[in-house]
Amino acid sequence: MAISPPRWSSSDPVPQKDEEERLRELGYQPVLARRMGGFGNFAISFSVISVLSGCMTLYGFGLGTGGPAVMMWGWLGVGLFVLCVGMALAEVTSAYPTSGALYYMADRLGGRKWGWYTGWLNLLGLLGAIAGIDYGAALFTGAFMNLQWGFSATPGSTMVIFLCILLLHAVLNLFGVRLVSVLNSISVWWHLGGVALIVGALAIVPSNHQSPSFVFTEFVNDTGWSNPIYVAAIGLLLAQYTFSGYDASAHLSEETSNASVSAARGIVRAIWVSWIAGFALLAGLTFAIQDYAGTQDSATGVPPAQILLDALGTGGATALLLVVITAQLFCGNAEVAAASRMVFAFSRDGALPGSKIWRRVSRRTQTPVPAVWLSVGVAALLALPSLYSATAYGAVTAINVIGITPAYAIPIYLRLRAGDSFEPGPWNLGRWSKAIGWTAVTWVAVITVVFLLPQSYPVTVSSMNYASIALIAVLTLATVWWFVARRTYSTPSSYGTAREEAEIAEGIV
């Protein structure tokens, strides 16, 4: 692929003031600490994608919606299309490196309403992701406690674990972006080392393995639907859910050196590294299945834990579950960082109720403290139905995907519509821009429809796919609030014109 060369070399970073000047050109006074490097920016998206979170948490879902064949080939196919989405989004990110990311791009390229609805979809997806990731970590923690101490997790105890994890992530994010960057850098090596350790152990220790024919061709349908194409489409949720959150690199761009290049590269690198690591992890788990039905009905409540238990024994399974749980904690922490920056940016432009509170930044740490607390607070509310319904966690997962995936495509579509009037940044796709962009938009349109479909038959209150309701709810909320906030919501054209400096200074506390 021919990608136009940057105007500067990544080995010779642009002085920080150049990025700050670019931010002022885009309309914002720099208030966040630009202390994150290129690797740290890649690391936050890689940590949010987190194959040890997404693949492991939804592996049980994949076992019944197409089985091994759909999990393996679906991962490869979805990964390819997501890479197209990531590259197209990276090109727009390079031109508009702000914490607002997707909604700011849509606003600039399409107008206020495009930005408004993109922002609400993006925010829904990010907050749903925190709930999904941290609740998944709580489930795995319960499975670990079951293996270690015979603990029987209930919805109530799982919720308590979940709230403790949310609190931990809130506190860690209050210390500033430097700590977040360090933790994400550790997270990269933890994830890669963890995948290698799990796959290596599952390849060496068990005496019995499934055949390649089973791993790549075995189709399993426990959905109740009879059409295998329909079932296979639904089964793509495992991969598509995992491949989300890479906009984190864009949301942290105001805290990244050389952001016009580093944030774009961070998005693309996070996707292809996760693509490779995730395929290895799924293959390792599937080859090591000892009892398919027993894995699905595991007493731990977590099918991958049963695979580890059957293949490695209690000691090995317990140790590797700790590796997975730690990776999930890294993932949730990175997602809180990304979501809080989105809350901060959206509030900075007057889009949220109570915007003057949520846009405040700590003078000491240069961190949007109120935005952090709002992010974890809303995530806690989103997961509360899990106390009463076993299908609620699936609904939270759907909220994440249905919110964030369409939000990726909107700025890409608007960039394509703009044609030659779009001024690309230093990282761009050159002559491949249109082909990759339209591939990305088409894929998002198709997969969004798929994720609105019922996932099991017959469709009942407990088995319904609530993604459509979540989508309607957020669009309705956004429409209603538009009539309240349309006079205060605006993205500035240049710093000091649409917004007075004193108003920005008011947000520094």
Side-chain angles (χ1 to χ4, degrees):
M1 178 182 298
I3 297 178
S4 299
R7 290 195 292 265
W8 53 76
S9 169
S10 59
S11 61
D12 183 20
V14 175
Q16 181 171 316
K17 65 178 183 180
D18 288 356
E19 288 293 344
E20 307 292 46
E21 288 171 3
R22 175 57 180 153
L23 188 59
R24 290 187 178 92
E25 290 174 1
L26 295 174
Y28 297 113
Q29 167 70 0
V31 296
L32 301 176
R34 201 175 289 274
R35 296 171 181 165
M36 182 176 283
F39 184 82
N41 186 276
F42 146 73
I44 193 166
S45 282
F46 181 77
S47 297
V48 171
I49 293 174
S50 182
V51 294
L52 286 175
S53 180
C55 291
M56 300 292 276
T57 303
L58 282 178
Y59 190 82
F61 173 85
L63 289 175
T65 52
V70 173
M71 284 195 288
M72 299 308 300
W73 293 109
W75 182 266
L76 291 176
V78 170
L80 180 61
F81 284 114
V82 170
L83 186 60
C84 290
V85 177
M87 288 190 293
L89 184 63
E91 181 176 54
V92 189
T93 298
S94 180
Y96 302 106
T98 72
S99 293
L102 309 182
Y103 88 84
Y104 181 88
M105 303 171 196
D107 186 288
R108 276 287 165 269
L109 294 169
R112 293 176 71 219
K113 281 196 174 181
W114 280 103
W116 177 264
Y117 283 101
T118 302
W120 279 98
L121 286 170
N122 191 197
L123 185 61
L124 172 73
L126 288 168
L127 296 175
I130 297 174
I133 293 164
D134 281 1
Y135 196 84
L139 290 172
F140 270 74
T141 302
F144 168 79
M145 295 169 70
N146 174 268
L147 290 177
Q148 188 69 18
W149 301 295
F151 173 81
S152 181
T154 64
S157 61
T158 301
M159 181 60 63
V160 171
I161 296 170
F162 166 68
L163 293 176
C164 290
I165 292 172
L166 280 180
L167 180 61
L168 171 66
H169 288 155
V171 171
L172 288 175
N173 271 274
L174 299 181
F175 284 97
V177 74
R178 181 164 292 169
L179 176 61
V180 172
S181 182
V182 169
L183 290 175
N184 288 330
S185 297
I186 296 172
S187 172
V188 171
W189 302 112
W190 187 275
H191 274 81
L192 295 177
V195 169
L197 184 61
I198 291 171
V199 172
L202 292 177
I204 297 171
V205 176
S207 56
N208 297 316
H209 290 88
Q210 299 290 341
S211 66
S213 175
F214 173 87
V215 172
F216 292 100
T217 65
E218 183 70 15
F219 184 85
V220 178
N221 178 13
D222 294 331
T223 66
W225 297 102
S226 59
N227 189 318
I229 297 176
Y230 184 94
V231 175
I234 294 170
L236 299 179
L237 176 61
L238 183 155
Q240 187 64 51
Y241 166 71
T242 305
F243 280 119
S244 63
Y246 43 85
D247 56 315
S249 289
H251 289 296
L252 272 292
S253 59
E254 289 184 33
E255 296 159 88
T256 301
S257 300
N258 195 13
S260 298
V261 174
S262 295
R265 287 179 176 170
I267 292 172
V268 176
R269 188 180 302 168
I271 293 172
W272 70 256
V273 174
S274 298
W275 192 17
I276 296 171
F279 183 80
L281 178 62
L282 290 174
L285 287 169
T286 309
F287 271 110
I289 292 175
Q290 305 298 305
D291 178 358
Y292 203 95
T295 297
Q296 288 180 292
D297 300 325
S298 173
T300 66
V302 179
Q306 192 63 46
I307 294 175
L308 298 176
L309 187 62
D310 293 341
L312 308 175
T314 303
T318 302
L320 291 183
L321 271 180
L322 273 178
V323 173
V324 174
I325 291 167
T326 303
Q328 292 173 336
L329 294 177
F330 278 128
C331 174
N333 190 64
E335 186 63 34
V336 169
S340 63
R341 271 50 175 191
M342 172 61 194
V343 170
F344 158 76
F346 218 25
S347 299
R348 179 174 59 181
D349 290 329
L352 296 182
S355 286
K356 288 187 177 181
I357 298 173
W358 314 124
R359 74 186 183 201
R360 291 184 177 274
V361 175
S362 167
R363 189 181 299 275
R364 183 174 61 86
T365 63
Q366 293 180 276
T367 299
V369 172
V372 171
W373 287 115
L374 180 65
S375 299
V376 297
V378 174
L381 292 175
L382 287 175
L384 276 181
S386 298
L387 283 170
Y388 312 103
S389 170
T391 60
Y393 179 69
V396 171
T397 300
I399 287 172
N400 171 26
V401 175
I402 203 63
I404 210 165
T405 305
Y408 289 154
I410 293 172
I412 298 171
Y413 164 74
L414 293 173
R415 177 264 175 273
L416 292 168
R417 192 182 71 169
D420 293 338
S421 65
F422 171 75
E423 184 178 345
W427 194 102
N428 60 81
L429 298 170
R431 61 191 178 91
W432 292 96
S433 181
K434 288 185 178 180
I436 293 174
W438 283 116
T439 299
V441 170
T442 302
W443 169 250
V444 171
V446 170
I447 205 66
T448 299
V449 172
V450 169
F451 288 143
L452 294 173
L453 300 175
Q455 296 171 4
S456 61
Y457 183 86
V459 180
T460 64
V461 173
S462 62
S463 65
M464 180 179 174
N465 181 356
Y466 289 94
S468 56
I469 295 178
L471 181 61
I472 293 171
V474 73
L475 291 177
T476 301
L477 173 63
T479 301
V480 171
W481 190 248
W482 167 259
F483 290 101
V484 177
R486 59 182 173 178
R487 291 182 180 84
T488 59
Y489 166 71
S490 66
T491 55
S493 56
S494 63
Y495 176 60
T497 56
R499 185 174 285 101
E500 295 296 329
E501 293 190 23
E503 187 177 349
I504 295 297
E506 178 187 309
I508 310 297
V509 295

